[in-house]
Amino acid sequence: MFKNKIFILIVSILIAITLILTAAFVLWNFMEKSNQSKDPAAQAQDAVASVKPTKAPSAEAVKANTAIIKDILTNLSGSQNFIKISFAFELENSKGKTEFDSLLDSAVKGTIVQTLGDLTKDQIEGSKGSDSLTATLMNKLNPLLHDGKIKQIWITDKVLQ
């Protein structure tokens, strides 16, 4: 009988400790969320403050890892409009650039022409259209690469007619 009471006492103490730790964890998470600002600008500043600075690559390294595609000419969707556009693709490393160059004439240009053919003149005009185009291209081209990823896409020339 004595052993039975000790066992029940130990189990009760363990349950109490578990409940106390669970309550402390929930309270901690609640306090963390209440400390965060709901203002997007303040959240962005907090996110920027938490980023540790890294050494920027040299201009030579950026140039060595950049592939340039000039003068792609194609029709836009649903109209008589066409676009002539040039891009600069900055890749993470030299292996990625080598792989990108090997896919350049087939998959990369084909993806660019297909993406441009799906867009209308209104969708590609202005800086928002350019940002949307580069984001779409990055999302479509990065899965094709295995040795590196595209870091940045710049539109170096754009003629829309």
Side-chain angles (χ1 to χ4, degrees):
M1 185 138 202
F2 181 68
K3 290 181 180 179
N4 211 5
K5 286 183 181 179
I6 292 177
F7 178 72
I8 292 173
L9 181 65
I10 290 174
V11 169
S12 299
I13 290 173
L14 288 174
I15 290 173
I17 290 172
T18 304
L19 289 174
I20 290 170
L21 290 174
T22 304
F25 179 74
V26 169
L27 185 62
W28 180 271
N29 284 338
F30 176 74
M31 296 299 285
E32 280 293 317
K33 288 182 182 175
S34 67
N35 287 344
Q36 292 178 351
S37 174
K38 294 181 181 175
D39 179 30
Q43 288 178 349
Q45 288 176 349
D46 292 341
V48 168
S50 68
V51 173
K52 294 179 182 176
T54 59
K55 185 178 177 184
S58 67
E60 293 82 20
V62 171
K63 185 177 180 181
N65 294 332
T66 300
I68 296 175
I69 299 176
K70 292 186 179 184
D71 301 334
I72 293 179
L73 180 66
T74 188
N75 292 333
L76 295 175
S77 177
S79 66
Q80 299 296 327
N81 296 321
F82 65 90
I83 187 167
K84 181 179 177 185
I85 193 164
S86 299
F87 295 99
F89 295 87
E90 181 186 348
L91 289 103
E92 288 179 330
N93 52 39
S94 60
K95 287 182 182 180
K97 183 179 183 302
T98 303
E99 183 181 18
F100 186 85
D101 288 340
S102 67
L103 294 171
L104 189 62
D105 288 328
S106 57
V108 174
K109 285 186 180 179
T111 303
I112 293 170
V113 169
Q114 180 184 13
T115 303
L116 290 170
D118 291 339
L119 298 174
T120 64
K121 182 178 179 181
D122 294 334
Q123 291 174 323
I124 203 165
E125 285 182 324
S127 62
K128 286 184 181 181
S130 295
D131 290 343
S132 174
L133 174 62
T134 56
T136 302
L137 287 175
M138 192 173 292
N139 290 334
K140 286 184 176 183
L141 293 174
N142 267 333
L144 300 175
L145 301 173
H146 302 290
D147 292 332
K149 296 295 179 196
I150 298 170
K151 286 174 54 176
Q152 183 75 35
I153 299 175
W154 290 283
I155 297 175
T156 57
D157 186 29
K158 180 169 80 169
V159 177
L160 185 62
Q161 187 169 335

